[in-house]
Amino acid sequence: MSFRARRLRKSPSIRALSKESILTVNDLIYPLFVKPGKGVKEEISSMPGQYRISLDMLKTEMEELVELGIKAVLLFGLAKEKNEQCSEAMDDNGVVQQAIKYIKKNFPNICVMTDVCVCAHTPHGHCGVIDGREVHNDKSLELLVGMAASHARAGADIVAPSAMMDFQVAAIREGLDQCDFENVGIMAYSAKYYSSFYGPFRDAADSSPQFGDRASYQMEPANRREATKEMGLDISEGADIIMVKPALAYLDIISDAKSKFDVPVAAYNVSGEYSMIKAAAKMGWVDETKCMMEKLLSMKRAGADLIITYFAKDAAKQINNE
Ligand code: PBG
C-alpha cells in the first residue's frame, strides 16, 4: 500500500494528466524594438534572432505574431536624438507613438504595452533626470508621466513604468486619470533588480549609462523581503499587474509575488537570459528548444501568470506543434 511516484510517470498520457503547470500562448508577451527610419531591420548582435525595426517593417512582424496566436507586445523605442527633455519620448509622433497607432489600427486585437523609461532618450543613459551625479527621483516623475500620457493618447492599452523611481506608479496613475485614461492599465516593473543580465538589451536600445550604474535606483539582488515591500507599494499606488525582473535568477521573488498578492504576476525573461541559451546552443552544448521550454515552464511553476520573453515566437511555435 505504499506510495509509488513512478505510477504517475508511466506514460505520456498519464504524465500529461498530472502536469501541475502549463505554458500557453496566452501567457506570452513579445518585446519589440522600434527605430526611426525606413527599411530598418537590424539584427541585435548580442541577441541573435531579435531585431530593431522601423515602422514599415511592423506589418510583417505583427502578421507573424497573430498567426502564432501571440496577443501582446511590449514596445521599446530607440531615439534619433537624445536630450535632457527626452523630447522624442514625449512626442505624440515619436516612433513608439506611431507604432502604437499603427498596431491599434491594423491589429486591434493585439494588446499594446509600452515600456515607460527614459534611459534610451537621455544623453547620459540614466533612467531619469540627473542632478549633480544623482538621479533625482521627483524631477524624473514628470518625464515618466509625460511619456506615459503620450503613449495613452496614441492608444496604448497598458503602460509599463520601468525606471524604478519611487512613486512612479502613483504619479502615472494620477496623470492618466486626469486625462480621462482611467482604462489604461499599468504593468509595474515592481521588483526590478540591479542585474547584469540586462547587458544585451542595452546594446539593443542603446541605453547604457554613460557614467556610474543603476544601483541607486534598481533593487539590490540580495534582497527578498524588500521585493514584497516594493510590490505591495506599487499595488497600493494603482498597479494592475506587478512584474519581477529578471526572471530566472529571481524565481523565489516570483513565488512570493504569487503567494502574497492577488494581481497578475508578470515575469520578465530578460535579454541576458535569452542570449545565454542562444550562445550555449550555438556552441552545441545544450538543446535550445528544450532548454527554452524548460526555463519558461519554471517561471510558470514559480507563479508567473504572464511572461515577457524574446523567445515568445519560438515558444509559440513549439506549443502550437505539441
Ligand atoms: C529600461 C529597461 C531595461 C530593460 C527593460 N526596460 C534596461 C535597464 O533597466 O537597464 C531590460 C530588459 C532586458 O534586459 O531584456 N530601463
Side-chain angles (χ1 to χ4, degrees):
M1 290 280 277
S2 59
F3 171 77
R4 280 179 182 266
R6 291 183 55 189
R7 285 183 199 122
L8 296 184
R9 296 177 194 154
K10 206 165 70 179
S11 68
S13 56
I14 296 179
R15 289 196 293 274
L17 284 169
S18 53
K19 270 186 196 172
E20 293 177 33
S21 303
I22 178 164
L23 179 72
T24 78
V25 178
N26 292 336
D27 304 326
L28 303 171
I29 301 169
Y30 187 58
L32 263 181
F33 298 97
V34 287
K35 187 174 170 173
K38 260 207 154 88
V40 182
K41 186 169 182 186
E42 301 167 353
E43 189 166 26
I44 300 155
S45 56
S46 53
M47 299 175 73
Q50 304 303 314
Y51 299 83
R52 300 180 201 93
I53 60 169
S54 52
L55 295 168
D56 51 328
M57 300 287 161
L58 263 180
K59 183 170 186 277
T60 329
E61 189 69 44
M62 296 309 299
E63 283 169 353
E64 191 185 352
L65 294 176
V66 170
E67 174 78 23
L68 289 168
I70 294 170
K71 295 167 186 67
V73 289
L74 176 60
L75 300 179
F76 294 92
L78 278 102
K80 209 161 38 189
E81 270 180 39
K82 304 187 183 214
N83 53 45
E84 296 291 340
Q85 306 79 41
C86 305
S87 41
E88 286 174 33
M90 319 287 152
D91 182 352
D92 285 354
N93 274 318
V95 71
V96 167
Q97 288 83 347
Q98 288 188 49
I100 300 168
K101 286 181 219 166
Y102 175 81
I103 299 170
K104 290 315 294 185
K105 177 156 179 248
N106 298 285
F107 300 88
N109 297 330
I110 293 282
C111 169
V112 177
M113 303 177 160
T114 59
D115 187 82
V116 175
C117 185
V118 292
C119 56
H121 294 272
T122 51
H124 44 72
H126 277 289
C127 304
V129 174
I130 291 290
D131 191 16
R133 300 286 284 179
E134 291 293 318
V135 176
H136 193 288
N137 194 87
D138 297 8
K139 286 183 193 161
S140 305
L141 296 178
E142 245 170 79
L143 291 179
L144 299 172
V145 174
M147 191 174 178
S150 177
H151 292 174
R153 281 193 293 277
D157 296 294
I158 294 181
V159 294
S162 71
M164 287 305 277
M165 294 302 121
D166 288 331
F167 317 120
Q168 59 181 9
V169 173
I172 289 174
R173 183 70 273 156
E174 196 186 317
L176 292 175
D177 290 353
Q178 271 170 8
C179 317
D180 293 331
F181 290 121
E182 64 276 356
N183 290 324
V184 172
I186 299 180
M187 174 167 73
Y189 284 72
S190 302
K192 177 175 176 179
Y193 283 88
Y194 170 58
S195 168
S196 301
F197 288 98
Y198 308 151
F201 172 94
R202 293 181 189 166
D203 291 344
D206 185 22
S207 65
S208 293
Q210 299 303 303
F211 64 88
D213 57 34
R214 305 210 204 289
S216 76
Y217 42 104
Q218 299 183 343
M219 277 188 61
E220 161 59 48
N223 296 355
R224 180 169 182 174
R225 283 177 303 160
E226 188 191 352
T228 303
K229 180 89 182 158
E230 280 275 14
M231 293 187 281
L233 276 171
D234 278 358
I235 294 170
S236 69
E237 289 178 26
D240 302 287
I241 301 171
I242 51 175
M243 191 204 295
V244 176
K245 175 186 173 192
L248 288 172
Y250 298 88
L251 293 174
D252 53 336
I253 311 301
I254 296 175
S255 168
D256 287 351
K258 181 66 159 208
S259 64
K260 292 178 196 289
F261 301 107
D262 53 11
V263 300
V265 176
Y268 199 142
N269 179 211
V270 301
S271 56
E273 299 174 331
Y274 170 84
S275 301
M276 284 196 306
I277 292 191
K278 283 282 179 185
K282 195 171 165 198
M283 294 298 287
W285 293 340
V286 299
D287 180 313
E288 178 175 332
T289 304
K290 287 186 175 154
C291 285
M292 162 188 80
M293 294 306 281
E294 189 175 333
K295 290 202 173 207
L296 294 172
L297 186 63
S298 78
M299 297 167 209
K300 288 288 313 221
R301 193 183 64 237
D305 299 295
L306 310 167
I307 302 175
I308 301 152
T309 179
Y310 304 97
F311 281 123
K313 290 197 238 172
D314 299 336
K317 282 179 200 153
Q318 197 58 25
I319 294 166
N320 295 339
N321 285 335
E322 267 168 13

